[in-house]
Amino acid sequence: MADPQTRFEDLMSKLRERQCRMTPQRVALLRLLASGTDHPSASHLYDQLKTQFHTTSLATVYKTLSLLDDMGEVLELGFSHGVVRYDANKPYPHPHLVCIRCHKIVDCECRTAACLAEQAAKQLGFQVVSHRLDFYGLCADCQNTG
Amino acid sequence: MADPQTRFEDLMSKLRERQCRMTPQRVALLRLLASGTDHPSASHLYDQLKTQFHTTSLATVYKTLSLLDDMGEVLELGFSHGVVRYDANKPYPHPHLVCIRCHKIVDCECRTAACLAEQAAKQLGFQVVSHRLDFYGLCADCQNTG
DNA sequence: GTGCTTGCAAACAGTTTGCAGATAG
DNA sequence: CTATCTGCAAACTGTTTGCAAGCAC
């Protein structure tokens, strides 16, 4: 996980370079995204924002996420059943552990994934620019609770 | 890729075991799914069915896909932007090459992926039951067309 | 002051559901 | 004959868009 404060300042300066305006809502959202404590969904982010701003909207969350996506500063993780989760703390491809019970998503250090990509794709003449590796199963907590 | 005819008969017998009725629409859909020539979306399957049955519906496609999903006989591949593609030819986890231009999805033989799963997850006390590995990039065709 | 951003509401797309009629077994 | 399946239409969910008012710069 990247350091939340460093990543927050990184996002701030990248948006400023783009002449984006730093509204309080946007700053709060960036701070949430940079924290890296979770891989939140859009509505989860909205719920957290609502505790700070009594008036705010899901549309604003989506607009900022889409802006960051265009800039390549957020990883959009689409799953089955229409579930989408975001990772703006570490926006480059990396393996994830996805708990099938509590739906927690944890980063997983795993050096060999990237070179596996190159190796596997070369066989089919495929030019790899990105990859995605998810492990599904039960996290330690969920294994211990029947 | 599994042999289409074998996989088709396999799906047929598994549905019969469940006392499912083999309507012409369902048989045609199973044949499409077993063919393994592509990793189609629901509406792509519907389009292909419409050429055989002038009256048919997307709801029927979804109902059969959901039935096969419950039986573990289809792999649901969710992507960003609400895109969902299905793989019923080889319904167990395996790596995919996803073309970011033409959106072709190709199976990729890659023996090391499964053991990588075990290895990586053991470090975090995560019990892996499934995995997903996608490589994104340009397929051979798209590299050769500007 | 300018024009980007917000937040509401309406539109939208993909998926799911309810139900009456059709049909496989 | 019976229970399942089909296919239509309506409901639903998550996301996107349009626009008037607000606010960062």
Side-chain angles (χ1 to χ4, degrees), chain A residues 21-24 42 59 62-63 82 84:
Chain A
R21 301 201 174 157
M22 304 313 296
T23 64
Y62 279 114
K63 279 168 189 165
V84 182

Side-chain angles (χ1 to χ4, degrees), chain A residues 32-33 35-40 44 85-87 89 103-105:
Chain A
L32 283 177
L33 286 168
S35 80
T37 50
D38 200 7
H39 296 67
H44 184 210
R85 307 273 290 259
Y86 298 89
D87 190 346
N89 175 265
H103 305 115
K104 197 183 298 165
I105 300 179

Side-chain angles (χ1 to χ4, degrees), chain B residues 4-78:
Chain B
Q5 184 60 28
T6 310
R7 179 62 182 149
F8 171 68
E9 286 160 15
D10 183 34
L11 284 172
M12 288 286 277
S13 66
K14 272 175 178 147
L15 284 172
R16 259 196 284 266
E17 273 173 36
R18 280 215 167 197
Q19 326 271 305
C20 290
R21 300 199 174 160
M22 304 313 295
T23 64
Q25 295 92 327
R26 188 168 276 182
V27 172
L29 182 56
L30 292 185
R31 206 176 281 281
L32 284 177
L33 286 169
S35 81
T37 51
D38 200 8
H39 296 67
S41 64
S43 70
H44 185 211
L45 290 165
Y46 172 61
D47 289 343
Q48 289 181 275
L49 277 186
K50 261 197 303 195
T51 65
Q52 296 178 54
F53 302 90
H54 288 193
T55 169
T56 190
S57 81
L58 207 39
T60 301
V61 174
Y62 278 114
K63 280 168 188 166
T64 302
L65 284 172
S66 151
L67 173 67
L68 291 172
D69 194 31
D70 291 346
M71 296 166 61
E73 292 300 325
V74 69
L75 218 58
E76 221 181 297
L77 300 169

Side-chain angles (χ1 to χ4, degrees), chain A residues 117-129:
Chain A
E118 283 308 321
Q119 185 188 335
K122 223 170 267 177
Q123 299 165 10
L124 288 103
F126 195 95
Q127 182 189 331
V128 175
V129 299

Side-chain angles (χ1 to χ4, degrees), chain A residues 14-103:
Chain A
K14 272 173 178 148
L15 284 172
R16 260 195 283 265
E17 273 172 37
R18 280 215 166 195
Q19 327 270 302
C20 290
R21 301 201 174 157
M22 304 313 296
T23 64
Q25 294 92 329
R26 189 168 276 180
V27 173
L29 182 56
L30 292 185
R31 205 176 281 279
L32 283 177
L33 286 168
S35 80
T37 50
D38 200 7
H39 296 67
S41 63
S43 70
H44 184 210
L45 289 165
Y46 172 61
D47 289 343
Q48 290 182 275
L49 277 186
K50 262 197 304 194
T51 65
Q52 296 177 55
F53 302 91
H54 288 192
T55 169
T56 192
S57 81
L58 207 39
T60 300
V61 174
Y62 279 114
K63 279 168 189 165
T64 301
L65 285 172
S66 151
L67 172 68
L68 291 171
D69 193 32
D70 292 345
M71 295 166 61
E73 293 298 327
V74 70
L75 218 59
E76 222 180 295
L77 301 168
F79 295 94
S80 299
H81 310 290
V83 175
V84 182
R85 307 273 290 259
Y86 298 89
D87 190 346
N89 175 265
K90 240 166 68 172
Y92 49 88
H94 59 276
H96 290 105
L97 301 173
V98 183
C99 182
I100 54 176
R101 184 182 293 173
C102 71
H103 305 115

